[in-house]
Amino acid sequence: MADSNFIDYVKILCRSGKGGAGSRHFYRAKYIPKGGPDGGDGGRGGHIILKGNQNMWTLLPLKYRRHIFAGNGQPGTGGRSFGKDGEDVIIEVPCGTVVFDAETGEYLCEVTDDGQEIKLLKGGRGGLGNWHFKSATNRTPRYAQPGEPAIEKSVILELKLLADVGLVGFPNAGKSTLLSALSSARPKIADYPFTTMEPQLGIVSYRDNRSFVMADIPGIIEGASEGKGLGLRFLRHIERNAVLLFLVPADAPDITQEYEVLLSELEKFNPQLMDKHRILAISKSDLLDEELMEEIRPTLPQDIPTVFISAATGYGLTELKDILWRAITDENNRLATPDIIHRPLDGHHRVREEDEFIFENVPSADDEEAEDLQSISPESWGEEVDGYDWDEDIDPENP
């Protein structure tokens, strides 16, 4: 996975810009020795913004861009001149990207639509100049507000593929072979376990020029929720699928038992997956004849549709596509359910090489100044200063 262009897990360090300090300037001109305070406000710090891009399919650009810092706001000057706002940083990500807090694993936000913008970290507000604090009893305020400090946070970005059908099965169950038979995708196929090391997408053609998207993920085994095999790392790619297609080979010792094991691992990963429409396909059915199929059919789960298929010979593939299309077009199986619940990150499906990444940040003069500003109590921003209340007079969304 280190050399692959498909990157679906990235840990980055983001920092918004700090707000510029307000000015304590006094107006001075010929014949106007006491012009009064005219210090301008400081500019706001830059935001860190996530933006969806439908033309992106991987987080590869962020793999080599681990530190993302927005611009700082400039201080105000005399003549009520406001400081320049810090430059915003827009991070383009593929649709389906989910953001988690790297320290706690808490879900923060997700980007699902093209052009959708989410303000990940808000820039600090600029400080007010001393002209805001003049009054009849305080005509020469020699103080101004400092800018709000920057916000620094380590975040994890996970990509969850958007597809109609998700393939679930043990290694060597025939998932990659089925995907190659139904679509133009050419995943790696071999006779050893865990041939597929990254998710694959394929567009399946259907009648009347219609089509749907099928996603193949690496195989899971019993105990994947405890970190065995490839663990549950890739199961997030089927959380948005409308239909889950379980593949169990015909030569399995107990087809129903293998299906129950797969179902159990999905439930441990995210119980919400149990609400998705499920279909069971018995792959490698070219090993069976009609008589054996009739003997096996009563032993299969009766609560879901089942179909015997063979990707090698094409047996049952037309029937399978018909069943999948009916399930996809069902009103109850819509793609990308809006109320999807993203489980917090845990140690079983986080990526060690990403989590052990060490951020190296050499302190600069700006960083030292930011630390000084951070020593100011945040509660002081809402206090009244000579009759002025920041929270009442300034809109936080439009500083």
Side-chain angles (χ1 to χ4, degrees):
M1 285 297 293
D3 299 328
S4 172
N5 287 332
F6 182 78
I7 302 297
D8 59 353
Y9 184 107
V10 170
K11 180 180 179 181
I12 60 176
L13 177 66
C14 299
R15 185 175 67 194
S16 63
K18 65 180 181 181
S23 174
R24 296 175 293 178
H25 190 269
F26 290 88
Y27 180 73
R28 292 291 182 268
K30 193 174 183 179
Y31 306 119
I32 309 179
K34 297 182 180 180
D38 68 344
D41 302 343
R44 68 158 178 84
H47 305 310
I48 301 293
I49 300 173
L50 295 177
K51 183 177 181 180
N53 187 342
Q54 64 180 0
N55 297 320
M56 295 181 63
W57 61 279
T58 175
L59 296 173
L60 180 64
L62 295 177
K63 180 180 179 181
Y64 305 103
R65 189 186 174 193
R66 301 303 185 97
H67 302 134
I68 300 178
F69 300 151
N72 294 325
Q74 299 300 312
T77 55
R80 297 188 182 181
S81 297
F82 291 2
K84 182 181 179 181
D85 291 343
E87 184 177 359
D88 297 336
V89 175
I90 298 179
I91 307 174
E92 292 193 343
V93 296
C95 298
T97 300
V98 185
V99 185
F100 297 90
D101 189 312
E103 302 297 331
T104 64
E106 179 186 2
Y107 163 77
L108 298 178
C109 61
E110 62 177 327
V111 181
T112 57
D113 300 323
D114 181 48
Q116 178 185 2
E117 292 188 359
I118 294 179
K119 190 180 297 181
L120 181 61
L121 296 181
K122 186 178 179 181
R125 291 177 292 184
L128 298 178
N130 62 347
W131 72 278
H132 284 282
F133 307 115
K134 65 180 181 180
S135 65
T137 57
N138 185 14
R139 298 186 178 184
T140 57
R142 302 184 182 277
Y143 50 83
Q145 281 185 332
E148 275 190 329
I151 301 176
E152 185 172 285
K153 185 183 290 291
S154 296
V155 296
I156 290 176
L157 274 63
E158 279 193 347
L159 175 61
K160 299 184 178 183
L161 296 179
L162 300 177
D164 300 295
V165 180
L167 295 176
V168 183
F170 281 85
N172 280 12
K175 301 186 300 299
S176 298
T177 306
L178 176 62
L179 184 65
S180 63
L182 293 179
S183 69
S184 297
R186 293 294 176 262
K188 184 178 181 181
I189 300 174
D191 58 352
Y192 55 87
F194 299 109
T195 306
T196 302
M197 295 297 293
E198 61 187 45
Q200 300 285 339
L201 286 178
I203 299 178
V204 181
S205 299
Y206 192 61
R207 299 187 180 96
D208 301 328
N209 295 325
R210 294 174 293 182
S211 63
F212 56 89
V213 181
M214 180 177 289
D216 174 25
I217 65 171
I220 59 177
I221 61 176
E222 186 175 5
S225 57
E226 302 172 0
K228 294 182 180 180
L230 293 178
L232 301 178
R233 172 182 172 185
F234 296 103
L235 280 183
R236 62 176 173 271
H237 292 294
I238 62 174
E239 283 187 305
R240 299 186 187 278
N241 299 159
V243 180
L244 299 182
L245 177 59
F246 290 79
L247 253 68
V248 179
D251 57 353
D254 191 334
I255 295 177
T256 302
Q257 182 181 5
E258 288 201 6
Y259 167 74
E260 295 293 340
V261 170
L262 294 171
L263 202 60
S264 175
E265 294 298 331
L266 263 62
E267 186 176 11
K268 292 177 182 177
F269 176 77
N270 189 347
Q272 194 181 19
L273 292 176
M274 297 297 99
D275 299 331
K276 292 186 176 293
H277 190 85
R278 302 189 297 271
I279 298 172
L280 176 61
I282 313 302
S283 61
K284 305 179 183 179
S285 295
D286 53 309
L287 302 176
L288 307 175
D289 54 20
E290 293 294 336
E291 188 175 340
L292 285 176
M293 291 182 188
E294 293 301 324
E295 292 181 5
I296 295 175
R297 199 178 298 275
T299 65
L300 300 178
Q302 303 299 317
D303 57 337
I304 61 173
T306 59
V307 57
F308 288 87
I309 64 170
S310 172
T313 63
Y315 175 79
L317 296 186
T318 302
E319 180 185 358
L320 175 63
K321 289 196 288 186
D322 291 338
I323 295 176
L324 291 175
W325 183 258
R326 287 196 298 269
I328 293 170
T329 55
D330 189 347
E331 289 292 335
N332 298 324
N333 302 326
R334 287 302 182 187
L335 175 64
T337 307
D339 58 348
I340 180 175
I341 300 175
H342 300 280
R343 66 194 301 271
L345 294 180
D346 57 37
H348 291 312
H349 74 289
R350 295 178 68 164
V351 185
R352 179 187 298 178
E353 58 266 24
E354 293 290 348
D355 284 345
E356 292 181 352
F357 180 81
I358 300 176
F359 297 107
E360 297 179 358
N361 184 18
V362 180
S364 61
D366 292 340
D367 295 333
E368 295 176 358
E369 184 178 353
E371 292 179 0
D372 294 338
L373 293 179
Q374 288 178 355
S375 62
I376 302 174
S377 173
E379 288 76 7
S380 64
W381 287 90
E383 296 176 356
E384 293 187 2
V385 181
D386 287 350
Y388 184 83
D389 189 347
W390 179 289
D391 291 331
E392 289 186 1
D393 297 344
I394 295 294
D395 184 3
E397 297 299 330
N398 298 294

